[in-house]
Amino acid sequence: MAELANCSQCGKVYVKQLKDICRDCYREEEAAFKKVYEFLKQQKNREATLTEVVEATGVEETLITKFIKEKRLRTSMFPKLGFPCERCGTLIVSGKLCMNCSEELKSDLQQHEALEKVVERNKDVKTTQGVYYTLDKHRR
Ligand SMILES: [Zn+2]
Ligand SMILES: [Zn+2]
């Protein structure tokens, strides 16, 4: 059975397949990828930053970021490519936060969990297990 969904890019209803965007958007995305890749492939552009790529190709930053996250644009090949950590602005290539920030947040979270456990212990009534947010490093 075909499943219908709204394209996450343009909102159009389409038959859902593997992608979360419709065929038109997919095609556009592929064209954008090619453009970006053709640009970066040139020796002199190997060390272009994200901003420079955006300026040169006219492709949206969010889309290029997506390519980096999907590992279609490899930062081993293009060392200056990356996007800023949402917390401190350091260039990163996956997830939302840099190593430092995720470590920090993790210890915050651990402290928080430890605290919750103490609170839990002091309670007579059993509550449903709390849901903790884990840092999703493997987002695709
Ligand atoms: Zn679409
Ligand atoms: Zn950071």
Side-chain angles (χ1 to χ4, degrees), residues 85 87-88 90 98 101:
C85 160
R87 203 152 166 262
C88 71
T90 307
C98 70
C101 290

Side-chain angles (χ1 to χ4, degrees), residues 121-136:
R121 227 179 289 146
N122 292 337
K123 267 189 209 166
D124 286 325
V125 203
K126 257 194 181 169
T127 50
T128 45
Q129 214 180 352
V131 179
Y132 300 111
Y133 293 102
T134 47
L135 290 169
D136 195 0

Side-chain angles (χ1 to χ4, degrees), residues 6-12 14 20-26:
N6 283 95
C7 167
S8 65
Q9 193 91 356
C10 69
K12 209 164 67 182
Y14 73 111
D20 59 351
I21 53 177
C22 72
R23 201 179 295 192
D24 288 346
C25 290
Y26 177 71

Side-chain angles (χ1 to χ4, degrees), residues 1-133:
M1 268 248 305
E3 193 189 337
L4 291 181
N6 283 95
C7 167
S8 65
Q9 193 91 356
C10 69
K12 209 164 67 182
V13 175
Y14 73 111
V15 179
K16 195 169 179 176
Q17 280 156 344
L18 289 173
K19 293 265 169 188
D20 59 351
I21 53 177
C22 72
R23 201 179 295 192
D24 288 346
C25 290
Y26 177 71
R27 211 176 290 150
E28 258 175 52
E29 202 175 283
E30 288 309 292
F33 176 78
K34 227 177 235 163
K35 214 184 213 179
V36 170
Y37 193 73
E38 289 298 317
F39 171 77
L40 281 169
K41 213 167 64 171
Q42 298 168 53
Q43 195 64 40
K44 64 178 166 58
N45 298 332
R46 283 276 158 98
E47 301 212 339
T49 61
L50 184 58
T51 324
E52 283 166 356
V53 180
V54 172
E55 275 169 17
T57 59
V59 176
E60 273 176 61
E61 190 178 314
T62 45
L63 197 53
I64 302 176
T65 306
K66 188 174 162 189
F67 294 147
I68 301 171
K69 283 186 182 171
E70 288 175 343
K71 304 229 176 343
R72 295 183 71 185
L73 293 174
R74 293 187 177 274
T75 42
S76 50
M77 271 174 88
F78 314 117
K80 296 279 170 65
L81 270 194
F83 45 91
C85 160
E86 286 187 0
R87 203 152 166 262
C88 71
T90 307
L91 282 192
I92 52 168
V93 294
S94 68
K96 287 180 171 182
L97 299 169
C98 70
M99 284 291 279
N100 282 342
C101 290
S102 30
E103 281 302 312
E104 260 176 56
L105 283 193
K106 218 181 354 185
S107 56
D108 277 2
L109 200 71
Q110 272 160 5
Q111 270 176 22
H112 183 69
E113 279 182 39
L115 200 71
E116 293 256 304
K117 268 183 199 137
V118 175
V119 175
E120 252 347 90
R121 227 179 289 146
N122 292 337
K123 267 189 209 166
D124 286 325
V125 203
K126 257 194 181 169
T127 50
T128 45
Q129 214 180 352
V131 179
Y132 300 111
Y133 293 102

